[in-house]
Amino acid sequence: MIEVQHLTKRYGSFTAVDDISFRVEPGEILGFLGPNGAGKTTTMRMLTGYMPATDGKAIVAGYDVFAKPIDAKARTGYLPETPPLYPDMTVREYLTFVAKIKMPKKTTAADRKTRVEQIMKRTFVDDMANRHCGRLSKGYKQRVGLAQALIHDPEVLILDEPTAGLDPKQIIETRDLIRSLAGNHTVVLSTHILPEVAQTCARVVIINKGKVVAVDTPDNLTRQLRGASSLYVQVDVSGGDAHDTLVGVPGVTKVGVADRHDGVVGYELHAEQQRDVRRDVARAIVDRGMGLLEMRPMRMSLEDIFLQLTTQETKDGAGAPGANDVPPAEQAAAMVAEGDPNA
Amino acid sequence: MRNALAIANKELRGYFASPIGWVICGLFSLMFGYFFYAYVEVFLKNSMQSQMGNGGPMNINILLIRPLLSNATVIILFMLPSITMRTYSEEKRSGTIELLLTSPITDWEIIIGKFLGAMGLYCTLLLATMAHMAILFAYGRPEFRPLIAGYIGLVLLGGCFVSMGLFVSSLTKNQVIAGVGTFIAGLLFWVINWLADSASPTTSAILSYLSITEHFDDFAKGVIDTKHVIFYLSFITFGLFLTSKSVDTERWKG
């Protein structure tokens, strides 16, 4: 569990993180999204106790990070932006050293050894166990970094761009690994790869210029930010025109042509909010003897939302939809399953 | 303490996993060997003369070991900055400091660990010089206890350089700056009593008290004076204290 209350970090007159508050439930994966320089890394560094906050409070795994740093750190695993590896150590030596300083004091040497072997297997670095960290490829370095964060089986995992620099196969493996951690671990991960958030995270915090712009499930964000609901309808008009028919459907407020070729026209419909016009639209088209080829809800991609939220200054954090509601866990779980392209 | 030992162990392994530790050991032994050879030559020449009747009995402790150890401190002044220069600056440059500062260990455990690690390498250097001393024992009859006192002095003196080196290294990401900075700081404490003669009595007393080498003279003679032990220990503690403040400041700056 992570609770962040009014966290603020100032460097002189520059405010890097400005009064951020959010909460991560146990076992949840939270995505931390924002353009470069938005304050993601600074926030993460405050959560891990690397740097103190100017103001505010952060509670990680039940311990105040600033009042009880050792207790909080013992329950936190952290993967910084650059994996903190010692180039002269082999992977096994390195993980053994990290195990020594991170695992509880009463752990025996034999237990530590088993744990190191186990975590190397889990993060797919066991084949490089005797290679020096400095001679590993970027992908392996990143995964040894992840192994380092996981070694003491922390309640909370904080990952700063965990998939940066990996090849597509490794990205998928790493995401699967992170997803498999949900439930037992509370995970916060930052990224600027947007689909990644949709695929791995139950909830998203979007921050810009040190402020929280939105907190919600990727699903809700897409839906609520769309404003009025809109549909894409592809119709085989066979020389005719479906425009009038569509305008005539009750609830439809606006009809536009999205694409047109060989007698097939794609329309973009806007409907009144909270009103499902799909049945009526389908019936109207079929009744006119035209072919309904495709109908799907149009959604803004996360990219659109991201751009909209981070470039629009009028829409402030408090006004963003659902800033305070916490989605039910099963919805979160469903999201994760749904967003998985490899499932 | 277990954490500090884990860090010390990591530091010590770090020296010998890279060429640094071996090069330092090799060069230090080379220089010490040369000093030893030169002093033995002088000693032999003098004792030959004394046998011809124009001198008193030769004391190997006073005429060989004492100047040898005193001059060995020069090698230490030059070598120790290269031992401590990477302790903090390298961790800061490569980002591994983030691992240490986010692990459930205190700043002091890290500092003590790094201090012990550097001292471990330094003591290895001193251990290597014992071979030369063994030669003296094989062919002469030097007194054992003054020699021990001398080595205790060397360990304390080295401790001062190490704690100073840790502090300078914690100030910068750049190893070269850390190394040169430590060397200059060490040199300053070396020559600080040069002005003692021309200064007012109070200033003069302060300046000679601050001189690292002046406190070593008694150790070289084989005397362990608590006054000097306390000076060295407070110097070391103060250096480590400054390091902890510097690490803490760095956190606030980010």
Side-chain angles (χ1 to χ4, degrees):
Chain A
M1 196 272 295
I2 301 173
E3 204 174 331
V4 174
Q5 298 164 356
H6 307 292
L7 206 60
T8 302
K9 178 77 189 174
R10 279 188 215 99
Y11 298 105
S13 60
F14 173 66
T15 308
V17 173
D18 192 1
D19 197 18
I20 279 188
S21 299
F22 61 88
R23 205 183 139 88
V24 194
E25 297 303 317
E28 192 184 25
I29 303 187
L30 179 94
F32 218 56
L33 208 59
N36 287 334
K40 288 178 302 213
T41 301
T42 309
T43 309
M44 291 191 149
R45 284 179 164 178
M46 287 192 283
L47 287 182
T48 51
Y50 177 67
M51 55 166 68
T54 316
D55 209 350
K57 207 170 166 185
I59 295 164
V60 171
Y63 292 93
D64 186 320
V65 178
F66 312 118
K68 290 203 173 287
I70 300 293
D71 290 306
K73 286 173 186 176
R75 290 161 183 80
T76 312
Y78 175 43
L79 171 64
E81 227 168 330
T82 35
L85 309 182
Y86 292 105
D88 292 330
M89 284 187 182
T90 66
V91 172
R92 185 178 277 121
E93 278 169 2
Y94 171 71
L95 291 175
T96 309
F97 165 67
V98 179
K100 263 190 212 163
I101 58 171
K102 283 194 174 181
M103 286 174 81
K105 294 293 147 279
K106 53 182 183 289
T107 319
T108 62
D111 283 348
R112 270 203 303 269
K113 210 175 160 215
T114 332
R115 179 68 187 160
V116 167
E117 299 302 323
Q118 187 190 345
I119 209 76
M120 284 196 297
K121 280 212 179 64
R122 189 144 185 216
T123 50
F124 317 105
V125 294
D126 46 333
D127 49 335
M128 292 288 170
N130 295 318
R131 172 92 56 114
H132 283 107
C133 291
R135 309 192 62 182
L136 295 174
S137 68
K138 177 80 174 117
Y140 271 101
K141 280 184 183 163
Q142 196 74 20
R143 280 180 285 162
V144 174
L146 201 57
Q148 161 276 124
L150 284 168
I151 198 135
H152 53 310
D153 196 23
E155 273 177 66
V156 170
L157 264 177
I158 296 184
L159 313 172
D160 203 348
E161 302 193 1
T163 55
L166 303 187
D167 68 34
K169 184 168 166 284
Q170 294 168 333
I171 289 181
I172 290 167
E173 283 171 357
T174 309
R175 279 182 198 157
D176 284 344
L177 177 67
I178 293 172
R179 264 199 299 272
S180 74
L181 298 170
N184 300 320
H185 307 264
T186 308
V187 184
V188 175
L189 67 89
S190 83
T191 177
H192 48 237
I193 307 167
L194 298 154
E196 183 163 291
V197 173
Q199 284 164 26
T200 40
C201 303
R203 274 198 311 145
V204 184
V205 171
I206 299 183
I207 70 167
N208 188 34
K209 295 184 179 161
K211 282 194 166 72
V212 173
V213 215
V215 186
D216 213 328
T217 63
D219 222 17
N220 279 345
L221 277 178
T222 351
R223 197 176 322 145
Q224 286 167 333
L225 272 158
R226 197 176 31 176
S229 45
S230 49
L231 281 177
Y232 174 81
V233 184
Q234 200 178 49
V235 186
D236 180 359
V237 293
S238 19
D241 195 343
H243 187 269
D244 297 341
T245 317
L246 292 171
V247 172
V249 174
V252 174
T253 52
K254 200 178 144 202
V255 178
V257 175
D259 55 88
R260 180 198 296 271
H261 48 86
D262 297 343
V264 175
V265 184
Y267 293 98
E268 209 180 298
L269 301 189
H270 289 266
E272 287 166 17
Q273 210 153 3
Q274 308 297 323
R275 181 160 182 172
D276 192 352
V277 295
R278 284 177 296 182
R279 278 180 204 81
D280 295 334
V281 168
R283 194 169 298 123
I285 292 170
V286 177
D287 284 353
R288 280 285 305 272
M290 289 187 278
L292 175 58
L293 303 181
E294 189 185 343
M295 173 152 70
R296 59 180 155 87
M298 283 179 60
R299 287 185 167 181
M300 276 172 96
S301 66
L302 268 172
E303 270 92 349
D304 298 330
I305 296 167
F306 183 66
L307 284 174
Q308 190 174 329
L309 284 171
T310 52
T311 49
Q312 218 171 10
E313 294 293 46
T314 44
K315 203 165 210 154
D316 66 294
N324 296 315
D325 74 0
V326 175
E330 58 271 16
Q331 189 188 348
M335 252 313 296
V336 173
E338 205 179 83
D340 189 356
N342 327 301
Chain B
M1 199 58 204
R2 263 189 55 170
N3 288 328
L5 289 180
I7 305 265
N9 186 27
K10 180 220 101 184
E11 292 285 318
L12 205 52
R13 272 159 164 263
Y15 287 125
F16 290 105
S18 62
I20 300 170
W22 303 104
V23 168
I24 291 176
C25 272
L27 294 180
F28 181 84
S29 301
L30 185 76
M31 278 320 286
F32 193 89
Y34 175 76
F35 276 39
F36 178 78
Y37 178 72
Y39 275 103
V40 169
E41 279 296 305
V42 172
F43 182 78
L44 288 181
K45 205 174 129 212
N46 289 344
S47 55
M48 223 98 86
Q49 280 171 358
S50 100
Q51 269 174 4
M52 314 242 261
N54 43 6
M58 297 286 290
N59 183 315
I60 195 165
N61 278 91
I62 295 171
L63 292 172
L64 205 163
I65 294 176
R66 193 197 291 184
L68 177 63
L69 290 186
S70 287
N71 285 295
T73 58
V74 177
I75 318 176
I76 292 166
L77 168 72
F78 278 88
M79 295 301 272
L80 277 194
S82 55
I83 292 182
T84 56
M85 66 184 196
R86 53 177 239 145
T87 45
Y88 268 97
S89 48
E90 177 65 12
E91 304 245 21
K92 280 164 78 168
R93 195 193 55 78
S94 71
T96 46
I97 193 79
E98 271 193 270
L99 168 70
L100 297 182
L101 294 187
T102 58
S103 291
I105 50 179
T106 62
D107 286 0
W108 272 105
E109 284 172 325
I110 302 172
I111 293 168
I112 300 285
K114 286 187 171 291
F115 178 76
L116 291 179
M119 286 306 279
L121 175 58
Y122 173 60
C123 289
T124 315
L125 301 182
L126 292 184
L127 216 60
T129 66
M130 300 266 184
H132 300 107
M133 300 304 162
I135 295 173
L136 296 183
F137 279 95
Y139 293 98
R141 280 188 309 281
E143 268 190 82
F144 193 67
R145 276 175 297 185
L147 187 67
I148 295 292
Y151 270 92
I152 289 176
L154 283 182
V155 170
L156 287 170
L157 178 96
C160 293
F161 280 111
V162 169
S163 81
M164 197 156 62
L166 280 181
F167 171 57
V168 177
S169 182
S170 72
L171 295 173
T172 172
K173 275 184 188 175
N174 189 314
Q175 284 191 41
V176 175
I177 294 178
V180 174
T182 309
F183 175 70
I184 293 300
L187 196 60
L188 192 69
F189 277 104
W190 200 275
V191 299
I192 202 163
N193 58 342
W194 285 8
L195 280 177
D197 293 340
S198 53
S200 71
T202 328
T203 327
S204 157
I206 293 172
L207 289 181
S208 16
Y209 184 73
L210 284 178
S211 162
I212 284 189
T213 35
E214 225 157 88
H215 292 276
F216 184 72
D217 289 345
D218 276 344
F219 284 105
K221 285 177 199 153
V223 179
I224 300 180
D225 190 335
T226 41
K227 184 173 77 183
H228 304 309
V229 175
I230 287 171
F231 170 81
Y232 281 138
L233 289 182
S234 9
F235 194 105
I236 293 170
T237 315
F238 188 61
L240 298 183
F241 171 76
L242 286 181
T243 313
S244 84
K245 288 296 147 200
S246 156
V247 173
D248 210 31
T249 315
E250 196 65 26
R251 286 195 154 171
W252 284 95
K253 284 192 288 188

